[in-house]
Amino acid sequence: ACGLICADRAAVVNIKGGTFNSNGAILDMRNNVGTQPNPVATLAGGTFTSDPRVSGLYSSNLIKVAEGYKVVENNGAWNVIVDPAAKIGETEYASLQEAFNVGGNVTLLRNVTITEPATLAGGKTAVLDLNGKTLTAGGSGYAIENYGKLEIKNTGVINGVVYAEGSSAETTVEGGTYNALNNGSYVFLNSQGASLTINGATINGGSSYPIYS
């Protein structure tokens, strides 16, 4: 009655690739009723003959698709593939950082939560179209670090600090909503001669000043 992979009693399953053939379920996630936590499975790759997000028994909600990935079905095969975060022209990039490394007109394609700030290097120029999406900082609380020339435009949301450093760093804001992650953080932080121009935006700060320069 169990799926191709059975997960029970605090088990951790990470699938990052491979081919999984089964007439039934790929995963079977069994809820625990004792003191141990439920099992968890995370999908970040692989090809499957049934939808890997659906548990054969018990709890499908214990199966997670990793951040930056998505499940697509084609002719009875399910594939876990990279869900691009941004694009430049018709070229898609797995992360905003990869797009910033190239520079140019960058469009955010989905809501993104990042553990490290997306960094625009000195000498680089980028125009970030938020495209109605949300960029949220994790870890450090910094969403973007700008050492070059960055324009942010269109509707969308940035949760976290937009930081600029260096006399050649220029940030221009043409739209969007910007939120402090907590009461003690800034929204825009400039240092060492960096410039900031805001032509239109909604800025929601915490107890600190929303803009520090």
Side-chain angles (χ1 to χ4, degrees), residues 158-161 178-188 202-212:
I158 293 181
N159 297 315
V161 180
Y178 303 82
N179 300 316
L181 279 180
N182 56 62
N183 284 336
S185 66
Y186 304 107
V187 178
F188 291 95
T202 299
I203 302 172
N204 301 309
S207 59
S208 298
Y209 298 107
I211 301 173
Y212 183 88

Side-chain angles (χ1 to χ4, degrees), residues 6-197:
C6 295
D8 196 2
R9 297 183 182 278
V12 176
V13 178
N14 294 303
I15 298 178
K16 299 182 179 181
T19 301
F20 300 81
N21 300 312
S22 175
N23 292 327
I26 302 299
L27 286 153
D28 182 8
M29 309 298 293
R30 298 177 180 270
N31 288 94
N32 289 323
V33 295
T35 59
Q36 293 184 342
N38 286 329
V40 62
T42 304
L43 307 174
T47 298
F48 308 85
T49 52
S50 63
D51 191 338
R53 297 166 296 183
V54 179
S55 174
L57 295 173
Y58 304 105
S59 296
S60 296
N61 67 296
L62 300 177
I63 304 170
K64 308 297 182 184
V65 179
E67 173 75 24
Y69 290 83
K70 63 182 178 180
V71 178
V72 296
E73 188 270 335
N74 183 28
N75 293 325
W78 283 257
N79 296 288
V80 181
I81 63 174
V82 171
D83 188 10
K87 70 176 182 178
I88 300 173
E90 297 303 315
T91 303
E92 296 178 336
Y93 297 87
S95 67
L96 180 58
Q97 182 61 65
E98 290 181 22
F100 272 3
N101 289 344
V102 177
N105 295 320
V106 178
T107 301
L108 202 62
L109 294 178
R110 60 176 173 82
N111 297 336
V112 175
T113 299
I114 53 178
T115 56
E116 297 294 334
T119 301
L120 185 67
K124 287 283 187 181
T125 298
V127 178
L128 176 60
D129 183 344
L130 293 175
N131 191 32
K133 304 299 188 289
T134 298
L135 173 65
T136 300
S140 67
Y142 283 57
I144 294 175
E145 290 186 354
N146 175 30
Y147 298 86
K149 295 183 179 180
L150 174 66
E151 178 183 328
I152 307 173
K153 68 177 186 178
N154 213 335
T155 59
V157 178
I158 293 181
N159 297 315
V161 180
V162 177
Y163 172 70
E165 181 173 339
S167 58
S168 62
E170 300 177 9
T171 305
T172 303
V173 179
E174 299 285 354
T177 298
Y178 303 82
N179 300 316
L181 279 180
N182 56 62
N183 284 336
S185 66
Y186 304 107
V187 178
F188 291 95
L189 175 59
N190 293 340
S191 64
Q192 299 183 18
S195 69
L196 171 66
T197 301

